[in-house]
Amino acid sequence: MERMNETLDLKLNELSANTAEVTGTAGMVNTAEVAESPTAAEQSGTEQSGTGLDALVCGTDVPQGTVVMAATPIGNTADASARLIALLERADIVAAEDTRRLYALANRLGVHVNGRVVAYHDHNERDKSDGLLDQVETGATVLVVSDAGMPTINDPGLAIVRRAIERGLPVTCAPGPSAVLDALCLSGLPTDRFCYEGFLPRKHSERVQYLRTLRSERRTIVFYETLHRIDDSMADLLDVFGPNRKMALCRELTKDFEQIRRGTIAQIRQSVIDEPPRGEMVLVVAGASEEEADAAAPASLSVEDLAVLSIDRAQEDNLRIKDAISQVVAEHPLADGSLANRKQVYNAVLAMKQ
């Protein structure tokens, strides 16, 4: 009986030891699993510190003691950058072309403008610039925004940029949407060289005279135009540039009803008559061909003509003939932009004096 009890105790001890070993091993495994698995709070924190828009906004540096020129959407609110949102939230002063439109944009973006908002437009920008820059000198961030697009591009902003440069204060840019570049990109016309000419003159005579100065322009030309003047302007483009130049009329850029009309000047002119476009437009016109540029370029003066002008200049201004030749040659470039050979002009002068 005692021997049976001893045997039973031994088996119970072995079973207890095995149970403890299994429990201990399981405990070790479970502890490791808990240590490797993130908590729900940790998972949430990881997600919140990701690379979304909120993270970009939070991580955006807003420079102190600086003027920041920032581009705003030209039609699609979703084009607003994280940098613009951060600047709207954290700039000390926001100088806006139209304060009502600024707040409307902020509401669409879900942004609270915490800084002081001031009106800064064409009629007061020169008077306001120095006062704003005084705040920059004390360390304030001054954000300048227009109603749409980049300040200074047919919008207020140039005055404060110039004064900041003159006063040695830092000014930087938060780039973004641009109607000029959007239209140029979508036009299908050459983009390697282009010139931006802003709005065409309002009056017919001034507009025609202005367009005539561009007839020999080889670069792609970009204009702005309004609903009320597009018909007259297209008629003048047709008259000055002719019917066959390629162009594009771009309207409602980045919006739901964006429209790009491409064709010749004659075709676009007819489309404006048949289906008058609405809103502000960007016109992109092909540059002159080599033949068009040569035909539109002013006639070059001959060497003999330059010699006569040089003799007259020397007598009228009491100059040495060589100095007179240098002035006349510089003032009358050849059709390709180069200058006449001064030695040839000098020889022509000597021949005339013999």
Side-chain angles (χ1 to χ4, degrees):
M1 188 72 169
E2 291 177 357
R3 189 171 294 178
M4 288 178 62
N5 288 336
E6 289 176 358
T7 302
L8 180 61
D9 290 341
L10 181 59
K11 290 185 178 293
L12 289 172
N13 288 338
E14 289 177 354
L15 179 61
S16 177
N18 290 338
T19 303
E21 182 178 346
V22 171
T23 303
T25 303
M28 290 171 61
V29 171
N30 290 339
T31 301
E33 289 177 352
V34 169
E36 292 174 1
S37 301
T39 63
E42 288 172 338
Q43 286 179 338
S44 176
T46 301
E47 291 173 359
Q48 290 177 358
S49 61
T51 58
L53 180 61
D54 289 341
L56 289 174
V57 172
C58 292
T60 298
D61 176 56
V62 175
Q64 300 299 303
T66 303
V67 179
V68 184
M69 316 297 290
T72 55
I74 61 175
N76 191 327
T77 305
D79 291 334
S81 68
R83 194 173 174 195
L84 173 64
I85 293 171
L87 287 163
L88 288 172
E89 288 179 338
R90 287 144 57 188
D92 299 298
I93 301 173
V94 180
E97 183 179 9
D98 186 325
T99 57
R100 293 168 300 178
R101 292 193 179 187
L102 168 70
Y103 284 121
L105 173 63
N107 286 336
R108 292 196 301 273
L109 293 172
V111 172
H112 180 71
V113 180
N114 294 295
R116 180 164 62 94
V117 175
V118 299
Y120 185 80
H121 45 71
D122 288 330
H123 303 294
N124 72 358
E125 63 169 325
R126 291 186 179 180
D127 296 332
K128 286 285 186 78
S129 294
D130 275 311
L132 293 170
L133 293 174
D134 290 341
Q135 297 299 311
V136 171
E137 281 188 322
T138 67
T141 299
V142 173
L143 172 65
V144 180
V145 293
S146 60
D147 292 343
M150 178 60 70
T152 76
I153 309 300
N154 278 105
D155 278 325
L158 181 59
I160 196 169
V161 171
R162 284 180 170 172
R163 286 297 292 145
I165 294 170
E166 291 168 357
R167 293 176 58 167
L169 296 172
V171 56
T172 189
C173 186
S178 166
V180 173
L181 297 182
D182 284 3
L184 186 67
C185 173
L186 296 173
S187 69
L189 297 172
T191 60
D192 52 342
R193 297 179 68 236
F194 68 93
C195 58
Y196 169 61
E197 297 293 325
F199 282 98
L200 286 165
R202 294 173 179 269
K203 295 182 179 180
H204 165 71
S205 59
E206 295 176 359
R207 188 165 54 242
V208 169
Q209 182 178 353
Y210 184 68
L211 288 172
R212 284 173 180 165
T213 67
L214 296 171
R215 278 192 297 192
S216 61
E217 176 59 66
R218 301 293 300 274
R219 296 170 295 179
T220 300
I221 311 169
V222 184
F223 304 103
Y224 279 166
E225 195 48 279
T226 66
L227 161 68
H228 306 292
R229 296 198 300 269
I230 185 61
D231 186 59
D232 292 338
S233 291
M234 285 303 309
D236 291 339
L237 279 170
L238 181 63
D239 179 55
V240 175
F241 289 158
N244 298 321
R245 284 252 200 131
K246 296 289 187 181
M247 73 165 292
L249 185 154
C250 309
R251 55 179 293 272
E252 299 292 285
L253 288 169
T254 76
K255 298 180 183 178
D256 291 339
F257 299 102
E258 177 180 282
Q259 183 186 56
I260 314 296
R261 303 184 187 183
R262 304 177 183 89
T264 63
I265 289 179
Q267 290 170 334
I268 301 302
R269 162 69 172 140
Q270 190 60 47
S271 80
V272 168
I273 296 172
D274 297 339
E275 186 183 351
R278 298 179 180 179
E280 287 191 354
M281 286 148 272
V282 186
L283 307 179
V284 187
V285 182
S289 65
E290 187 174 351
E291 294 76 15
E292 289 172 327
D294 290 342
S300 301
L301 296 178
S302 66
V303 170
E304 288 73 20
D305 292 334
L306 294 171
V308 171
L309 289 175
S310 299
I311 292 171
D312 293 341
R313 177 71 60 85
Q315 292 173 348
E316 292 172 0
D317 296 346
N318 195 26
L319 297 173
R320 294 189 314 152
I321 190 62
K322 288 187 176 181
D323 293 334
I325 290 172
S326 295
Q327 290 183 9
V328 169
V329 167
E331 293 168 2
H332 298 84
L334 302 177
D336 62 358
S338 64
L339 299 179
N341 186 298
R342 286 178 295 178
K343 187 174 181 179
Q344 291 178 355
V345 177
Y346 182 71
N347 290 335
V349 169
L350 292 180
M352 291 177 183
K353 288 184 176 181
Q354 290 179 353

